[in-house]
Amino acid sequence: MARRLQARTGTPGGCLLNGCLTILGLLLVAVVGVWIWLETQPARDDAQARKNLRENAERLRDRLGEAAGDGSLPDTEIAQVFPPSKPAKGFVSVTRQGDAVTVVAELLGQGPPRAFIFVYARLVTGCYAFEVLPPAPGAPRPSIRELSQEACVAGVATRSVPDRRDQQPHGSK
């Protein structure tokens, strides 16, 4: 009768081979997981910075509403709400149309600071128009809308009602 050769499950060679493959497999999974986490870190930092930018804009809207609570909004109160160090490039434009005031400002949002080799933080900028309507009963609540960077650089807040002079052809008078 022929005797079959069988490896026993408790031999040192079988355990070593099975253990090494398991450890290598777990190490591979860990390396891939860390790699994915590091690759998606900039997107998470950018999302946090944009959230901070929106919170800054809402906080400034509330402060602008408090400043306009007495029925007037002089330039000195606007300068207190938007100090020169707060906007991203120090840009603030004020447009008055009757009793309505439109403030266009470029704001800065900051993500969480990171320290890998160098300390850095993700920064994003956004342009917002804050519109304070004429005084009405109760505290005014300014409206807020995001503008494109080109509109912010030009200092123009596009209104919902276009001016009739803008619709005429350039050659006619």
Side-chain angles (χ1 to χ4, degrees), residues 21-143:
L21 288 177
T22 302
I23 289 174
L24 287 175
L26 290 174
L27 185 62
L28 178 66
V29 168
V31 166
V32 169
V34 167
W35 183 30
I36 291 171
W37 181 77
L38 287 174
E39 286 293 320
T40 59
Q41 188 65 42
R44 289 193 305 272
D45 288 348
D46 190 58
Q48 184 66 31
R50 293 202 181 282
K51 179 182 175 191
N52 181 260
L53 176 66
R54 285 189 299 272
E55 290 171 354
N56 288 342
E58 290 172 4
R59 185 171 46 252
L60 289 172
R61 177 189 59 194
D62 294 341
R63 288 184 56 201
L64 192 62
E66 291 170 3
D70 60 356
S72 68
L73 191 59
D75 289 342
T76 56
E77 288 182 352
I78 293 172
Q80 289 175 352
V81 172
F82 296 94
S85 62
K86 291 294 180 183
K89 295 180 183 167
F91 177 76
V92 176
S93 171
V94 179
T95 306
R96 297 180 187 276
Q97 228 177 30
D99 289 337
V101 178
T102 302
V103 179
V104 177
E106 188 173 24
L107 305 177
L108 182 69
Q110 182 175 356
R114 298 280 177 224
F116 182 58
I117 296 173
F118 301 107
V119 177
Y120 70 95
R122 177 75 174 163
L123 301 174
V124 295
T125 59
C127 186
Y128 289 90
F130 301 88
E131 293 183 17
V132 182
L133 298 177
R141 178 137 173 113
S143 64

